[in-house]
Amino acid sequence: MTSKRVLLLGGHGKVSLLLTPHLVSKSWHVTSVIRAADQEDDILASVKNQQGKVEVLISSLEDIRSKADAQNVIDKSKPDYVVWSAGAGGKGGPERTQAIDHDSCIYFVQAAADTPSVTKFLLVSFLGSRRFKAPWWSAEEWKETQDLNHGALKNYYPAKLASDECLTAQTFKRASLQAIVLRPGLLIDGAVTGKVSLGKTKARGSVTRADVAAVAAALLDSEGKGWFDLLEGDETISDAITRVIKDKVDCIVGEDMESMIRDHS
């Protein structure tokens, strides 16, 4: 694969810091968007002695107030691929979650979809981000998911869901956009295991951030598209990605596509 330019939004996040070396190891050019200058050293340290190139762009995602603001960042970085691995992280209250996880993310999705040179958009979401019960989940699993979404995640859940749906809807406007929604379970620290459960997983479980980063990088370097749930498991990342592509696995099954397209047209 020829060298690609990647815009990484939320570059100083835990998953992003683990993802950046994977991208650079492919000799890709990464523009890492960070909130403050004092985060730059961490970005550069993560890719020391790697072959590709990393540059940082200081721009607070909280200050992206329009599609035009997002387009300005895209125009500066000229990416082939865009990765959203950002979020308020529960800090700053509901208003900040809305501003970053919903508004800013959707502005970037819309701007990327309207930029023909952007061919892939990978959005890191979470396993419970859906409106309807997954057909492969039990009633008990769905109830637990709903209790969490409307309880502890009552602000985060609707913001992420809207972003996931917006990205999916854009692919009906521009079929050439390869949209990937990676939906990990509970994120935990730890080294990469290289073994995962990808696709139609259980409703609850955990996965290391290192494995999320490895899967994200591998998906970007593949033909995979759609919604992919992710937990720790027994299948190698390479085999898992080959399988979901071959079998055309998409965890969007069970959702209301017509409403999704209508709401984000």
Side-chain angles (χ1 to χ4, degrees):
M1 177 176 283
T2 58
S3 180
K4 297 297 182 181
R5 297 180 62 89
V6 182
L7 176 62
L8 179 55
L9 299 159
H12 195 254
K14 291 182 178 180
V15 171
S16 292
L17 287 171
L18 295 165
L19 173 59
T20 303
H22 287 287
L23 303 179
V24 173
S25 72
K26 301 176 186 293
S27 297
W28 291 357
H29 180 120
V30 178
T31 299
S32 184
V33 177
I34 58 177
R35 187 182 67 256
D38 61 6
Q39 298 174 332
E40 182 174 359
D41 287 346
D42 291 336
I43 307 297
L44 299 180
S46 73
V47 295
K48 190 175 181 180
N49 300 323
Q50 294 274 14
Q51 293 180 344
K53 181 179 179 182
V54 173
E55 61 181 351
V56 300
L57 177 60
I58 300 172
S59 177
S60 173
L61 297 178
E62 194 172 358
D63 294 334
I64 301 296
R65 305 294 174 85
S66 67
K67 178 183 166 185
D69 288 343
Q71 188 69 59
N72 183 50
V73 174
I74 290 175
D75 290 344
K76 285 180 180 178
S77 56
K78 298 178 173 59
D80 300 292
Y81 305 158
V82 177
V83 176
W84 177 278
S85 183
K91 300 175 183 177
E95 296 79 10
R96 189 164 184 267
T97 296
Q98 181 73 10
I100 297 176
D101 293 276
H102 181 280
D103 298 351
S104 182
C105 185
I106 286 178
Y107 291 141
F108 272 105
V109 166
Q110 293 171 336
D114 285 346
T115 305
S117 58
V118 175
T119 59
K120 297 184 184 184
F121 196 116
L122 186 148
L123 193 163
V124 179
S125 184
F126 80 107
L127 185 58
S129 178
R130 57 187 307 126
R131 291 186 187 276
F132 301 100
K133 175 182 167 295
W136 56 94
W137 287 355
S138 68
E140 182 179 357
E141 286 179 304
W142 179 232
K143 182 181 184 304
E144 290 177 353
T145 299
Q146 288 183 300
D147 289 346
L148 183 62
N149 286 346
H150 298 292
L153 301 181
K154 65 180 180 180
N155 299 313
Y156 180 72
Y157 160 66
K160 293 301 290 185
L161 178 62
S163 297
D164 294 355
E165 293 181 338
C166 181
L167 176 57
T168 300
Q170 301 312 304
T171 64
F172 287 86
K173 295 169 60 178
R174 180 158 79 88
S176 60
L177 180 65
Q178 184 176 328
I180 305 164
V181 183
L182 184 57
R183 305 154 52 79
L186 177 66
L187 297 175
I188 59 175
D189 292 328
V192 63
T193 70
K195 296 289 188 72
V196 297
S197 175
L198 181 68
K200 298 177 180 179
T201 71
K202 298 180 297 182
R204 299 290 293 275
S206 62
V207 61
T208 68
R209 292 178 174 88
D211 280 326
V212 174
V215 171
L219 280 170
L220 274 179
D221 205 6
S222 79
E223 298 176 358
K225 59 184 178 180
W227 290 17
F228 301 109
D229 295 354
L230 176 64
L231 294 174
E232 61 187 0
D234 300 318
E235 192 173 23
T236 67
I237 291 172
S238 176
D239 286 349
I241 290 176
T242 298
R243 173 181 52 78
V244 297
I245 293 173
K246 177 179 177 291
D247 295 346
K248 297 182 179 180
V249 174
D250 192 341
C251 295
I252 203 168
V253 172
E255 297 296 283
D256 184 346
M257 296 296 296
E258 290 186 4
S259 295
M260 199 178 296
I261 295 167
R262 182 184 64 246
D263 292 346
H264 296 281
S265 60

